């Protein structure tokens, strides 16, 4: 019997994440029969390639998903809201990199190293968590499993590309203006369409996404609530408390995170290093004598999450500081999405049950 | 009777902080009779100016302090170690911006808004704290005084200029290389003279200063121990626990700090805003609806410390997240140094007692 192969649609194929979805899919274990590259009408007709063969970008419409087995979506929340129910109705399983479906009770929120088992409960849509959440839970889940996890206090150092290709372009344009002695012009960050825009180059912007009434940004809200949704799957330990401060920094790719944790047991830093060294998807870079620690430049282009600067808080036994860096476009987005799809294929879960599509209709 | 006026020597006058010591002194309330600009032999003969009049830089030697009333020092720890005892012996009161004397029991470590009273106990040398410590304690001292302070967990976002003018030049040079598509060359950061150098432009470097055996950097050690030395003066509250993670970010000037605090009482964020609004040296910038929050670009060139993003941790009553930004070369260095000197003049403390110089001799 021939190995089953899959028709895969990439929704939002021309963006910073979309182009990486193509390359991550090229390097995946998924047997691809055919690839469909979908985007807005503006990008339709553009020529891209998959495994060296040219593919023409098509406009994404509700009719695009006939005959599609898997959808990898990264075209923005509004597009995922509008189109993924049609994809599920057409029988396609969707792995969605946008935030729109993440907190829906019928949608597993999955980081394969942490909660791949949650995929078995899918109803046609699986959500890829927020980039800053993914790299944090990859490192914290093994610690939680072994030592329990009571509290997480995270401060992020997030790269421009987390806000898309246009924000990345703006960072470089501003940097060029600044080194040429020109005034910097900002039109995108901190939030597309917001009333005020501020330069990111040579600056720090403590706003990512819009504000909630309690003063937290939506990015901070995501880190708190997505982390709880992902880690709740592990019943060995009560849910950790989580708080977050998210800051955009003038770095193109790869987020940094300064994470303070309180565990139930009191492992030594060496114990934590051993646990993380054995953890899937994690690379420990923690040798002060060699000045070895995670950096954005060295993490970029890699699928792993890098952890270093592991230190005990001498005044609070059972509390630790960690420094976590990962490529926000790969593990934080495209690679985690393709990795979920690989897992769906491996677990033979690329099918939609009768009635599943109805769960996602009449959304508002 | 004529107002007393002072002969002021600036030691390290040509550096990033030294040039700002000159301008901060020009704009201070100190009646300056004469200014002496001192630096290494390499810079001797250079022409600078004070209040529009040219001043020739002289080589700093132990004999430089005859007739000097006040020394403002920022020429590196080794220079302060070597020369300040001679300055005190010559009868000059020294305000030292380097780390060398900070933890000495005979040396007050002063942030005027917080512990100006400690100046009365000086013996000829007063230390200016580390830049990242100063801006944090300016914001935390009034909170501690009003609500008690049990714990501080800080993650810093520190500007290149904290490592001096050469590091600042290197950041711009690397940024220029990067936007021109060239490879970046690093020779200074993270630590001058260390075995490895890494680019800071478009990168994150979680190393500031050298490593201690427990894995903390010396910068983190400074934030922990200097904060305790400064705040210990306030007996209303037990000493807070402090831990820190210090990261260098590709910003020229003005450090950011994400600070998580636990207080003894449970003020509302509005209470904290009111306390900080009334606090000397602090400007609250905290209006999410107007996208108003502290940024590096807007803080640079100002003497104040800016605080925003003030939020309660919903899961831990009495715990809060703050975002603090200040110009590390002004409040973090030159302005705090000149402000200490102003306070010495105001309190009539510009004199050295017999026997004081002996406290600082035979140091190792």
């Amino acid at each position: 019997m021939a190995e089953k192969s899959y028709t895969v649609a990439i929704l939002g194929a021309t963006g910073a994440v979309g182009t990486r979805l193509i390359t991550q899919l090229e390097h995946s274990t998924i047997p691809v029969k055919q690839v469909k590259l979908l985007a807005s009408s503006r990008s339709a007709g553009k020529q891209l390639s998959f495994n060296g063969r040219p593919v023409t970008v098509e406009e994404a419409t509700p009719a695009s998903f006939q005959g599609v087995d898997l959808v990898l979506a990264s075209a923005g929340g509004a597009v995922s809201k509008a189109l993924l129910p049609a994809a599920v109705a057409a029988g396609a399983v969707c792995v969605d990199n946008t935030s729109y479906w993440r907190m829906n009770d019928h949608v597993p929120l999955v980081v394969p190293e942490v909660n791949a088992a949650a995929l078995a409960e899918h109803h046609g849509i699986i959500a890829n968590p927020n980039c800053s959440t993914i790299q944090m839970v990859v490192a914290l889940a093994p610690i939680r499993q072994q030592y329990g996890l009571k509290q997480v206090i995270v401060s992020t150092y997030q790269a421009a590309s987390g806000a898309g290709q246009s924000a990345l372009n703006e960072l470089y344009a501003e940097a060029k203006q600044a080194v040429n002695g020109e005034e910097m012009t900002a039109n995108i960050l901190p939030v597309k369409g917001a009333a005020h825009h501020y330069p990111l180059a040579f600056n720090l912007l403590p706003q990512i996404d819009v504000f909630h009434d309690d003063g937290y940004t939506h990015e901070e809200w995501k880190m708190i609530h997505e982390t709880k949704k992902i880690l709740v799957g592990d019943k060995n330990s009560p849910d950790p408390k989580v708080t977050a401060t998210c800051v955009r920094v003038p770095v193109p790719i790869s987020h940094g995170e300064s994470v303070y944790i309180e565990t139930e047991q009191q492992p030594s830093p060496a114990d934590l290093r051993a646990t993380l060294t054995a953890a899937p998807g994690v690379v420990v870079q923690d040798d002060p004598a060699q000045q070895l620690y995670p950096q954005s430049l060295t993490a970029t282009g890699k699928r792993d999450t890098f952890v270093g600067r592991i230190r005990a808080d001498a005044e609070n036994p059972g509390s630790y500081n960690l420094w976590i860096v990962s490529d926000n476009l790969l593990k934080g987005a495209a690679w985690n999405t393709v990795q979920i799809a690989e897992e769906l294929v491996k677990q033979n879960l690329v099918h939609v049950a009768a009635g599943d599509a109805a769960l996602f209709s009449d959304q508002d």
Side-chain angles (χ1 to χ4, degrees), chain A residues 14 31 46 54 67 113 140 157 206 209 223 227-228 248 252 264 270 285 304 324 328:
Chain A
T14 58
K46 211 170 180 177
E113 292 89 344
L140 296 190
Y157 302 63
D209 214 327
M223 288 201 76
T227 298
K228 287 168 186 280
R248 188 79 70 191
E264 287 172 20
Q285 291 183 324
D304 294 305
I324 303 172
N328 56 299

Side-chain angles (χ1 to χ4, degrees), chain A residues 319-342:
Chain A
S319 291
Y320 309 86
N321 289 296
L322 315 173
W323 171 249
I324 303 172
V325 179
S326 190
D327 186 321
N328 56 299
L329 300 175
L330 295 185
K331 185 56 184 169
W335 165 232
N336 197 70
T337 297
V338 169
Q339 196 183 10
I340 289 170
E342 285 188 353

Side-chain angles (χ1 to χ4, degrees), chain A residues 41 58 84 108 131-132 160 166 198 313 351:
Chain A
S41 57
E58 301 167 52
L84 296 197
C131 45
S132 46
S166 59
Y198 309 120
D313 176 356
H351 47 77

Side-chain angles (χ1 to χ4, degrees), chain A residues 44-295:
Chain A
K46 211 170 180 177
Q47 291 288 324
L48 294 175
S49 74
F50 184 78
N51 278 337
R53 291 190 305 272
V55 183
T56 304
V57 176
E58 301 167 52
E59 182 182 355
T61 73
S64 300
F65 307 100
Q66 296 306 322
V68 170
D69 300 299
L70 271 166
V71 178
L72 310 179
S74 193
V79 175
S80 284
K81 176 190 177 186
L83 294 184
L84 296 197
V88 176
V93 175
C94 305
V95 188
D96 184 20
N97 187 52
T98 81
S99 66
Y100 185 74
W101 297 100
R102 284 181 197 151
M103 301 310 287
N104 185 299
D105 285 342
H106 304 298
V107 174
L109 185 64
V110 175
V111 178
E113 292 89 344
V114 179
N115 64 339
L119 290 173
E121 309 297 317
H122 88 76
H123 296 282
I125 301 179
I126 298 100
N128 195 66
N130 183 42
C131 45
S132 46
T133 306
I134 293 175
Q135 69 183 65
M136 185 168 80
V137 298
V138 167
L140 296 190
I143 293 173
R144 178 169 185 250
Q145 189 162 29
Q146 197 140 2
Y147 308 108
L149 186 61
K150 290 157 78 171
Q151 171 141 354
V152 180
I153 299 162
V154 56
S155 298
T156 69
Y157 302 63
Q158 293 184 234
S161 57
Q165 187 66 47
S166 59
L168 184 55
N169 295 345
E170 181 164 276
L171 170 63
Y172 284 122
E174 289 169 351
K176 204 159 205 162
Q177 289 172 322
V179 298
N180 290 333
E182 299 163 19
E183 205 181 331
M184 293 189 277
T185 49
N187 298 300
I188 293 170
L189 290 172
V191 178
K192 244 180 250 187
H196 301 284
H197 298 290
Y198 309 120
L200 176 63
F202 301 118
N203 197 15
L204 297 168
L205 293 177
Q207 181 189 2
I208 301 182
D209 214 327
V210 297
F211 284 100
H212 289 223
D213 287 344
D214 60 3
Y216 284 80
T217 59
H218 192 53
E219 183 80 0
E220 290 157 355
W221 185 95
K222 285 178 195 171
M223 288 201 76
I224 294 167
H225 294 278
E226 292 183 15
T227 298
K228 287 168 186 280
K229 179 166 175 175
I230 295 164
L231 292 182
V232 80
D234 180 349
K235 298 294 181 201
N236 292 331
S237 168
D239 295 351
K241 297 176 179 179
V242 183
T243 191
T245 297
C246 292
V247 180
R248 188 79 70 191
V249 296
V251 166
I253 299 174
S254 294
H255 297 342
E257 295 179 344
S258 171
V259 183
Y260 183 86
I261 58 169
E262 188 183 351
T263 55
E264 287 172 20
Q265 296 174 46
Q266 297 182 10
S268 69
D271 292 336
L272 292 177
R273 262 174 231 118
T275 297
L276 289 168
T277 299
V282 175
V283 173
V284 173
Q285 291 183 324
D286 195 15
D287 187 349
Q290 299 301 319
Q291 294 178 263
L292 178 68
Y293 33 68
Q295 301 176 33

